[in-house]
Amino acid sequence: MLGLVYCKVSESNIGQSIIITTISLSINYAIFFISIIISFIPNGLLNINNNYWSLIIILILYSGFICTFLKVKRLNKGLIFFKEKLKNDNIDMLILNISAIILFMIIILSNYNKITAREIGFSLIVFTFIMFITIQKSLQLYYKQKLQEREVEEIKKELKNKETEIKELEKENLKLNKKNHSIAHKQKSLEYELEQMVLNNQIVDRNHVRDKIEKLSKEMQNETISIELTKTKINEIDNMLKYMQSECVKNKIDFQLQINGNIHHMVNTYIGKEELEILIADLIKNAIIAINHSKNINKSILVRLGIIDGVYSLYVYDSGIEFEIDTLINLGIKPSSTHEKDGGTGMGLMNTFDTLKKYKASLIIDEYGKPVNDNFTKVIKIIFDNKNVYRIESYRKKDIQEKDIDKRIFK
């Protein structure tokens, strides 16, 4: 009857209602019987023969056990694993055990006259113990399953964020490539005009040519020129970003910046202001060198600073050449650079590793592929996650693993 009433009130199905009611009653009866058994102790010590006082002691014990039961963190809102219908065998196992215990209890109580009080008490204690063990194991299985489901959801969310990030980057690069494409057409037009003048033995108007070249140069410069950068409101960081932007303009590299979150909180909690300034300088300088050694028409750098995927981070994307495999393997162990003529010493990444170790930050190098016209080739991620991990995610994973004898990067 209680199951039917609960079914009507909660609008759940009859089967689930009866199961919940049965378990609730079995727990209550178990606590009640435990209270009765324990009540013999004060009755014996105080030599109480009054039924009313015995009843009061039982009710006090029962109320105390119920309150204690409801104060348990996992149980204070009821048996929450019934809130959602789980499609596994855990619930079936739990119900089967509890139902069996209840049936045995009914059989014992129905034969009260044939069984002594001691046997009944012992049986109740055993059945109660089995029931609580069963509930505990079922709860453990339930929480393990919930943890697995949460991990799967987090992985899905991360993949979705990755897809969104890639789409945004593709849009930005497509926009840049359209501009470069237009400038390339004008450049070819000027070359053709000069060739025609030479072929037709026409007098080359130097002023006319110079004006056209200057106009084209200004147009190219305007495409990479200083867009007003988002401010971090930290003078040293803003000045360094402005300087690196000017270096990109000199090298005809498109420079973009994204700021997310409170950078003041970042430098006060996760990394010192000076170390962050040097990190930004080293990573952007390396990106500029990588782009200058690439024949790719797509010359672009994107810096993302602040909260990325819920963690304070520094991401530097570039469209330059990939790292040498030996450089990747020796990162943080010894200075390594393949561009010494351009000022590359390898000390920048050595300093980066020292900073990461100091603040327990992680370094992830994600290589998307060889230089292409419509996307970045790689991103260096500095993540302040307190894990101090160094990892490579690369399309060249197999080649790197073959050279990485000590399995330092891929495990």
Side-chain angles (χ1 to χ4, degrees):
M1 287 298 294
L2 281 172
L4 291 171
V5 171
Y6 178 79
C7 172
K8 184 69 176 175
V9 172
S10 63
E11 297 182 352
S12 58
N13 64 66
I14 183 65
Q16 192 175 9
S17 297
I18 291 173
I19 287 170
I20 292 170
T21 305
T22 304
I23 289 177
S24 299
L25 287 173
S26 65
I27 292 170
N28 270 282
Y29 275 117
I31 293 172
F32 179 66
F33 284 128
I34 291 169
S35 302
I36 292 173
I37 294 166
I38 295 174
S39 71
F40 284 110
I41 298 171
N43 285 342
L45 292 173
L46 300 173
N47 197 21
I48 297 172
N49 295 315
N50 188 300
N51 289 334
Y52 293 106
W53 281 109
S54 297
L55 177 60
I56 291 169
I57 291 169
I58 291 168
L59 290 174
I60 290 170
L61 289 168
Y62 174 76
S63 302
F65 283 129
I66 289 290
C67 290
T68 305
F69 185 82
L70 294 175
K71 282 181 181 178
V72 177
K73 190 175 180 181
R74 290 185 177 182
L75 301 172
N76 60 0
K77 294 182 181 178
L79 300 175
I80 58 173
F81 50 82
F82 284 116
K83 189 175 180 181
E84 296 177 4
K85 204 172 180 181
L86 299 178
K87 296 180 179 179
N88 56 38
D89 296 328
N90 297 339
I91 298 299
D92 293 337
M93 182 189 74
L94 177 65
I95 301 306
L96 183 63
N97 278 275
I98 291 176
S99 299
I101 290 166
I102 291 170
L103 287 172
F104 276 120
M105 288 173 67
I106 291 169
I107 292 167
I108 289 169
L109 292 173
S110 65
N111 292 279
Y112 177 75
N113 293 328
K114 298 177 184 178
I115 303 173
T116 64
R118 184 183 295 177
E119 288 173 337
I120 291 175
F122 178 76
S123 300
L124 288 174
I125 291 169
V126 171
F127 292 151
T128 302
F129 179 76
I130 292 170
M131 185 178 69
F132 277 109
I133 291 294
T134 304
I135 291 172
Q136 183 189 17
K137 294 295 181 186
S138 299
L139 282 171
Q140 287 176 354
L141 289 170
Y142 168 75
Y143 282 109
K144 282 181 182 177
Q145 181 172 335
K146 291 299 290 181
L147 186 62
Q148 289 175 350
E149 288 175 0
R150 194 179 302 156
E151 287 176 353
V152 170
E153 287 299 320
E154 286 176 358
I155 291 168
K156 285 181 179 178
K157 187 178 178 182
E158 189 176 341
L159 287 172
K160 191 176 179 180
N161 290 336
K162 281 270 188 184
E163 288 174 2
T164 305
E165 181 183 325
I166 289 169
K167 284 178 182 178
E168 286 177 0
L169 294 174
E170 285 176 350
K171 284 180 183 178
E172 289 173 2
N173 276 284
L174 184 62
K175 187 178 178 181
L176 177 65
N177 289 331
K178 284 179 179 177
K179 292 176 182 178
N180 289 337
H181 186 71
S182 300
I183 292 170
H185 278 312
K186 292 177 182 179
Q187 199 172 6
K188 288 177 182 178
S189 174
L190 180 59
E191 289 174 3
Y192 177 77
E193 186 178 346
L194 290 171
E195 285 176 4
Q196 290 299 312
M197 286 181 177
V198 172
L199 287 172
N200 297 326
N201 293 321
Q202 293 180 6
I203 298 171
V204 178
D205 186 346
R206 291 185 179 181
N207 292 329
H208 172 71
V209 174
R210 187 175 66 244
D211 289 342
K212 278 205 167 187
I213 291 172
E214 285 178 359
K215 185 179 178 182
L216 187 60
S217 297
K218 284 180 181 177
E219 193 172 343
M220 289 177 71
Q221 190 177 10
N222 286 334
E223 298 302 333
T224 58
I225 201 144
S226 314
I227 302 169
E228 188 65 31
L229 298 178
T230 308
K231 303 291 183 183
T232 65
K233 298 179 182 178
I234 300 173
N235 290 332
E236 293 84 350
I237 304 297
D238 288 333
N239 290 336
M240 178 57 73
L241 287 167
K242 279 183 184 177
Y243 169 68
M244 297 315 298
Q245 183 190 35
S246 69
E247 289 296 301
C248 287
V249 170
K250 286 179 189 176
N251 289 275
K252 296 182 175 62
I253 297 171
D254 178 62
F255 181 82
Q256 297 179 50
L257 173 67
Q258 292 179 5
I259 303 292
N260 300 308
N262 188 339
I263 307 305
H264 277 284
H265 178 69
M266 184 176 180
V267 297
N268 289 329
T269 309
Y270 297 97
I271 182 174
K273 185 164 53 180
E274 292 181 0
E275 284 98 339
L276 180 59
E277 185 183 351
I278 299 301
L279 265 183
I280 290 169
D282 284 335
L283 294 181
I284 297 176
K285 181 184 176 184
N286 288 338
I288 292 171
I289 292 172
I291 290 171
N292 286 338
H293 279 81
S294 170
K295 295 180 181 178
N296 193 1
I297 191 172
N298 173 21
K299 295 186 175 184
S300 53
I301 292 173
L302 169 64
V303 177
R304 299 177 69 195
L305 179 63
I307 300 174
I308 305 172
D309 296 334
V311 184
Y312 274 100
S313 310
L314 168 63
Y315 285 19
V316 178
Y317 300 78
D318 72 71
S319 59
I321 59 171
E322 313 99 318
F323 282 103
E324 294 288 339
I325 292 177
D326 289 336
T327 303
L328 289 174
I329 294 170
N330 292 321
L331 278 181
I333 298 174
K334 60 182 180 180
S336 178
S337 176
T338 51
H339 311 299
E340 293 179 5
K341 292 180 180 179
D342 297 299
T345 62
M347 288 307 299
L349 285 169
M350 286 294 291
N351 291 335
T352 297
F353 264 86
D354 290 339
T355 303
L356 297 182
K357 190 175 180 181
K358 179 179 177 181
Y359 293 101
K360 295 183 180 180
S362 295
L363 170 63
I364 298 174
I365 298 176
D366 195 346
E367 293 186 328
Y368 300 129
K370 293 181 179 179
V372 289
N373 291 334
D374 60 351
N375 206 351
F376 293 109
T377 54
K378 64 179 179 293
V379 55
I380 298 178
K381 303 176 181 179
I382 307 294
I383 304 171
F384 297 95
D385 55 3
N386 206 35
K387 294 180 180 178
N388 197 212
V389 171
Y390 171 42
R391 191 169 76 245
I392 304 295
E393 296 173 359
S394 174
Y395 70 99
R396 301 181 295 163
K397 181 176 180 178
K398 189 176 179 181
D399 296 332
I400 298 170
Q401 281 178 318
E402 288 176 358
K403 285 197 173 186
D404 186 15
I405 300 170
D406 298 325
K407 305 297 178 188
R408 177 170 173 249
I409 303 168
F410 298 105
K411 295 182 181 178

